[in-house]
Amino acid sequence: MNRTLAAPAASAAPADPVVQAPPPAAERGRDADLAPVTRTAGPRPQRVRRAARALGDRLRAAPLSLALLAALWALGAATGSLSAGPSRRLLGHAGVGLPTLAEGRWWTPVTSLLWCSGIGAYVFTSLLLLLVGPAAERRLGRLRTLGVLVGGQVVGTLLGAGLVALGSAAGEQWTASVADQVSVGPGVGLFALAGVLGYRLTVLWRRRLHLLVLLVPLVMTLYVGHLQSVQRCSAALVGLGVGALLSRGRPYLRSHGSSHTETRVLVALCLVAAACGPLIASLYDNASGPFNTFSELYFSHRLSPDEVADFCAVSAHECARAHAVERIFDTPGRLMAALFPALLLVLAAGLRRGLILAWRITVATELLWVALLAWLYLDAGPVSGDVVQYFVEAMLLPLLTTGLLLATRQRFRVRLSGRAVRRLAGVVGGAALLCSAAYVGLGRLVAGQFEPGATVRRLLHGLPAQFLPPAYNDLTPDYPIAVGPVALFLETYCGLAFWVVTLGALLTVFRRPVLHTDAAATARARALLTAHGGGTLSFITTWDGNHYWFDEDGRAAVAYRLVGTVALTTGDPFGAPDARAGAVVGFARHCDARGWTPCFYSVSAETRAAAARLGWRSVQVAEDTVVPLPELAFTGRKWQDIRTALNKAGKQGITAEWWAYPQAPLGLRDQIRAISEEWVSEKGLPEMGFTLGGLEELDDPDVRVLIAVDAQGTVHGLTSWMPVYEDGVPVGWTLDFMRRRSEGFRGVNEFLIASAALGFQGEGARFLSLSGAPLARSGQDEEPTGLQRMLDGMGKVLEPVYGFRSLLAFKAKFQPEYRPMYMAYPDPAALPGITRAIGKAYLPHLTPAQGVRLMRRLTG
């Protein structure tokens, strides 16, 4: 079953399902010339050269950005700002800040755009300009780009300076510390430009760009806290507001939710920002942001000579501990200082893939951080108001991150195989055991190399400190201090070795392909499907989330999903044709023995008949549409819409290309994701699953993706096709995924399906299935029951939301054969539970807000 990006035209009415007489062979040959071509990614050097040429073309088309870049570096070289930054005199005349504005230098918001504060700032600004400038010139126009850049620079610098002035007047210590600063650099205007540009991008990149536009300056403000960080954050907010005003009324901007995949990416980006903030602040000697007060608890810093002297003034033991912590930074053990950021970056990779294991570890890590901070706070004894504020700020970030993870927990449902989890636990547990045993066991053997002498009890008491960053050594104040070479080796490398192994194991597991929970059963089912085949929808049994039942001889299988106590099958039984009817009986017994309610969903008439022999009832829930291919030709009046789409595509230079999604170029996959995200966002409703595939189902080498692409490489639409096997080879293909760009070629869906039909025909396939439209029927061959009338009414109610009936009418353009698809169930009393199970299977991530929105759409 498939979904379309936009409903077909309302005028498309179901046509006569009888396929007309085959045309002459010569006419079929002319149609065959329109068959799509198969593309594969070229060699890496060729792809690199192609990407370089494309980059060069884009830069040549952005003279404004290149001119600003050249002026920036030329002025920097002429004034000596590239190495040491602008001189104090130049800053006083060209930089913007409260001191220069107070002296009446009104031009500084504009002149600050022409210099940067040092070579690092020049490099960062140049990269930002090359990323944002050419895209803005192409989508906004040069004059508007220049206006937004200069206007954003002026408004952002003035607004940022004004906020600092207000904070200083209110007695805020952080803003008072930066009130005398003066800033330069076009980064302020560039962040405003990026905010406006985001509204001209696709939904996918609009969300990502807007999130980065907010996160980057916000993190810099919270951790670094310089005047320019505040100005960039102000400019980003201004750019987002101006962009919204300029783009008001554009229909493609009415976006609501995001897909599961995109939500995971956005959450991972937030975690990356939380991890990188303290790392970035550590590069600044004078970082003064409000969150920088606790950055040493997140990214351990080396003690200064004054801090060591303060500890030594307390006691000899404290002095020895301070020197021990200081000594760590002269060894590879200094890597432990970045433990928390490194762990969060690795976990972000798992969150991006939707792994529930990564989600659980991340929540546990954030809560552990809160617990450690609370322990340090309680251990501090009576504290002043400043210290209370210090710990409140310290706990704010992990609590906010935990709240974000809890709010999006339904999006992280992907499970690793049991074998992968067991191997990961074995590696991590083994590393912890070996490192702990080495520290305690070897430490006891060289007890004299610790001060004071190391007993087993003292070593165990100090063991947690070996696995925590240096900043948390205060949690175990009585641990023995290493003074000898072996003891120093243990203190340096035991914890470091454990975390190197652990982070490496986590990253390896997170980056590997995610398999089904029962990988062996999945492989067995796939081999059975390939060897013997099944129905037109049987390939969806290979999707993740299915369980499998096999008959005693292993010749037939049933894929199902267990929702509550309802075992909901994914289509017909598959395997040897003579064993499929028996599989219905066997699966029913299997469910009965476990107290489950079996339900065969979206099955053919053959499965319905086998269930009827058990006394089961059935109802039609969809209608499959099958197009025979051997004699197919697009001639005659009934094929006018299809011929028009093919002809218009040819005139506009649009061609059809076959790709395997896993091997497609990165740019192509990015466009596919953007088109899909646009569809999900515009609907504003939950993304459906179960028998409806998404992006994750494209990532299969046996699934073929057909794209419509123009001469500029822009993808206008795509379809995906699942194989229907017989005796080990595909004899037919089933449509699953269908999307089109909202501003692309309007007849792209007709063009893609027609091109696919011609391509499959040339390969000798017998048929293609346009899949089933749920809750839609072309006719009523049987007297409808009360349940059937209820389902027909439900389909009518859902039509404005999901357009299932319009989809069936669209498919009628291809003169298909209509084949009813049924739901077979054993007991009418179980229908309420079955209905809930079907709803849960199709909408597993339905949130309360989406449920309310759905009901409003249905009742409006």
Side-chain angles (χ1 to χ4, degrees), residues 25 97 107 194 257 315 336 353 369 372 382 443 565 622 759 809:
W107 60 85
S315 66
M336 288 288 290
R353 304 193 64 200
W369 187 14
L372 291 175
T565 59

Side-chain angles (χ1 to χ4, degrees), residues 728-745:
V729 296
V731 296
W733 296 84
T734 300
L735 175 65
D736 174 43
F737 194 82
M738 184 162 64
R739 298 281 191 273
R740 71 175 180 86
R741 189 182 294 274
S742 60
E743 296 182 330
F745 171 51

Side-chain angles (χ1 to χ4, degrees), residues 192-496:
L193 181 61
V196 175
L197 173 64
Y199 288 96
R200 300 302 178 96
L201 303 179
T202 60
V203 174
L204 179 75
W205 285 106
R206 185 195 321 152
R207 281 203 183 98
R208 293 181 181 181
L209 181 59
H210 282 173
L211 182 64
L212 291 174
V213 164
L214 283 174
L215 280 180
V216 172
L218 181 61
V219 167
M220 294 294 289
T221 299
L222 294 176
Y223 286 99
V224 179
H226 290 174
L227 172 63
Q228 190 175 62
S229 301
V230 182
Q231 292 171 336
R232 288 175 177 174
C233 198
S234 302
L237 294 174
V238 169
L240 292 174
V242 172
L245 292 176
L246 292 177
S247 304
R248 187 170 52 188
R250 296 177 184 269
Y252 65 87
L253 290 177
R254 300 195 197 107
S255 58
H256 301 280
S258 60
S259 65
H260 311 316
T261 301
E262 183 59 15
T263 299
R264 297 162 184 167
V265 171
L266 298 178
V267 172
L269 283 176
C270 292
L271 196 65
V272 169
C276 291
L279 294 178
I280 295 173
S282 67
L283 302 176
Y284 292 81
D285 295 332
N286 56 346
S288 58
F291 276 20
N292 195 52
T293 55
F294 69 90
S295 62
E296 69 272 10
L297 298 179
Y298 192 72
F299 178 72
S300 300
H301 297 281
R302 187 168 193 157
L303 297 176
S304 66
D306 291 339
E307 289 173 325
V308 174
D310 291 339
F311 279 111
C312 289
V314 176
S315 66
H317 181 69
E318 290 295 326
C319 185
R321 288 185 61 227
H323 282 292
V325 172
E326 177 70 6
R327 188 171 55 242
I328 291 176
F329 288 88
D330 294 324
T331 71
R334 68 183 305 166
L335 295 175
M336 288 288 290
L339 173 59
F340 272 125
L343 178 58
L344 291 184
L345 289 175
V346 171
L347 292 173
L351 292 177
R352 185 182 65 83
R353 304 193 64 200
L355 295 173
I356 190 173
L357 177 64
W359 184 89
R360 289 172 176 171
I361 297 176
T362 307
V363 172
T365 300
E366 298 293 344
L367 293 179
L368 176 61
W369 187 14
V370 171
L372 291 175
L373 292 171
W375 190 355
L376 286 174
Y377 172 73
L378 295 175
D379 191 57
V383 294
S384 63
D386 291 340
V387 176
V388 172
Q389 181 183 358
Y390 170 86
F391 279 100
V392 169
E393 291 175 351
M395 292 184 182
L396 185 58
L397 182 61
L399 290 176
L400 288 176
T401 305
T402 303
L404 174 64
L405 291 168
L406 292 175
T408 57
R409 63 188 181 279
Q410 296 297 329
R411 307 300 180 100
F412 301 95
R413 294 290 188 89
V414 180
R415 295 181 179 274
L416 295 169
S417 66
R419 180 184 179 188
V421 174
R422 289 190 297 271
R423 290 181 62 184
L424 177 63
V427 170
V428 175
L433 183 61
L434 288 175
C435 293
S436 300
Y439 179 76
V440 177
L442 295 179
R444 186 68 187 91
L445 293 177
V446 293
Q449 297 186 20
F450 288 91
E451 179 63 38
T455 63
V456 172
R457 181 177 181 181
R458 283 177 177 171
L459 290 169
L460 288 174
H461 190 265
L463 186 60
Q466 309 307 310
F467 298 97
L468 290 173
Y472 289 87
N473 284 349
D474 287 343
L475 295 176
T476 54
D478 296 328
Y479 72 89
I481 300 171
V483 293
V486 177
L488 289 171
F489 180 87
L490 294 175
E491 187 178 69
T492 300
Y493 290 104
C494 282
L496 180 61

Side-chain angles (χ1 to χ4, degrees), residues 840-860:
K840 187 68 174 177
Y842 273 113
L843 299 170
H845 306 291
L846 181 67
T847 64
Q850 289 173 329
V852 171
R853 191 181 302 128
L854 177 60
M855 293 306 299
R856 287 177 177 174
R857 293 279 295 273
L858 295 179
T859 57

